[in-house]
Amino acid sequence: MKNMYRYHKLNEYYKSKFGERILKICINGHFTCPNRDGTLSHSGCIFCSECGSGEHLDPYKDISAQVEDYFKSPRSNRANKFIVYFQNFSNTYDSLNNLKKKYNSALINSKIIGLSVATRPDCINEDIVKLLHSYTDKYYVSVELGLQTSNEEIGKLINRQYTNKQFTKAVELLNRYNIDIITHIMVGLPDETFEDIQNTVNFINQHHIQGLKIHNTYVVKNTGLADMYNKNQYTPISLEYYLDCLTYILSHISPDIVIHRISGDAPKDILIAPKWDLHKKWILNGLDKKLKEENLFQGKYYK
């Protein structure tokens, strides 16, 4: 490994890149998703909450006000540099003019040094990438791309509504303009096997990806996955199995990829299962213990 850690942690990456601690300002950009507005479907991915994984964000406050409120809060005293992060739903799914207005309305403080947007592979095209690239003269720009799994059949089951080819095309476009990509994978999806995890890791390693977010699959209220769970059609994975998968992913993924997170955080008030998801320390401590005991580190078995 390049440092004392057994995997390439985000905080250390930011410190080495920017010389100090960096924090993210999470933004609700008032976007929707082609998987929700009827373009592709109305139901969204079966695991996605009604807020598009943005329960902690104010859906009514305008973008600039969200940033201003952040800098009025004690949280803004914990760092000197910040990245604005457009988090929930698909944050490139709008006209170029509206996208520019929304991004600009967040970049209103001199302490902001980066722009990060979460989106879907099918909401990336060259004009959008050119717009994102136009910010790179002044800001560090990154894009989060959902993948979840490389198994196309599971992709259909979870109502992902995009293909692996669309993911690859989006990655190639972003690579062409030197924009960092953070991709998301999920462990414990319906019908998923350990072999699917292996194949997903291999698929990611075939792409030029700079960052990775690993999520455990959890069930939250008012989702398609909740319906499956209530009908006994889906059983969440155990913490022990998740730790096994985490150690496999980390030891087989490229050592150059920055690990942005190793678990998802479901809001307590809408979480149905598994309950171990509420205990972040169980995951962090369990992972550290396994990596140490088995003498594993990121990229140990990377080819």
Side-chain angles (χ1 to χ4, degrees), residues 71-130:
F71 281 109
K72 290 175 185 175
S73 73
R75 291 174 296 171
S76 65
N77 298 320
R78 298 173 188 167
N80 297 310
K81 295 178 181 178
F82 300 84
I83 292 173
V84 289
Y85 172 40
F86 285 82
Q87 181 175 2
N88 55 327
F89 295 118
S90 302
N91 295 274
T92 57
Y93 185 52
D94 209 332
S95 68
L96 289 174
N97 189 46
N98 284 343
L99 290 175
K100 190 170 184 179
K101 284 180 181 178
K102 288 184 176 186
Y103 300 156
N104 288 348
S105 65
L107 301 170
I108 57 172
N109 189 294
S110 60
K111 291 183 178 181
I112 294 171
I113 53 89
L115 169 67
S116 183
V117 297
T119 191
R120 296 163 51 92
D122 56 343
C123 293
I124 289 288
N125 60 44
E126 188 153 16
D127 287 336
I128 289 170
V129 176
K130 284 180 177 177

Side-chain angles (χ1 to χ4, degrees), residues 127-144:
D127 287 336
I128 289 170
V129 176
K130 284 180 177 177
L131 172 63
L132 291 167
H133 184 262
S134 71
Y135 290 95
T136 59
D137 287 344
K138 188 174 179 181
Y139 301 98
Y140 167 68
V141 178
S142 62
V143 171
E144 294 194 6

